[in-house]
Amino acid sequence: WSPATAQNPPPNASPKYLFTSLLSQGSSGDEVKELQKLLKKLGFFPADVDVTGLYGPTTVKAVTDFQKAKGIDPLGFVGANTRSALNAAQ
């Protein structure tokens, strides 16, 4: 056992991304990219659509579908309840 080993995840484990921001149509950046990647991995974001980091209509639909599946009001933006569900889904 060594401290370095204890802190490193197994090689096949992706580091968990922590969603912290309110995201909605018109948002952009790295957090939107992570959102799109996770929704794609979970099957809500279309596999044939590129991850762009731009929160447009495709992301709104993917978030709405995720919200419906998780019993969250399907409003299409990432607020506190959706962030919690996203962070737990990884």
Side-chain angles (χ1 to χ4, degrees):
W1 184 88
S2 74
T5 308
Q7 294 173 354
N8 294 333
N12 61 349
S14 298
K16 186 175 176 180
Y17 185 86
L18 185 64
F19 293 95
T20 59
S21 301
L22 171 67
L23 301 172
S24 61
Q25 189 157 358
S27 297
S28 63
D30 290 339
E31 192 152 3
V32 177
K33 277 187 185 177
E34 293 298 327
L35 171 66
Q36 292 168 332
K37 284 195 265 186
L38 178 58
L39 290 171
K40 187 176 276 205
K41 178 180 159 188
L42 297 173
F44 295 99
F45 194 88
D48 61 341
V49 175
D50 289 337
V51 168
T52 62
L54 300 175
Y55 200 123
T58 302
T59 306
V60 170
K61 180 174 182 344
V63 168
T64 301
D65 291 345
F66 174 81
Q67 291 168 326
K68 288 177 186 172
K70 297 295 181 180
I72 300 167
D73 286 339
L75 302 174
F77 67 88
V78 178
N81 292 337
T82 304
R83 266 196 311 276
S84 294
L86 288 165
N87 288 331
Q90 300 184 62

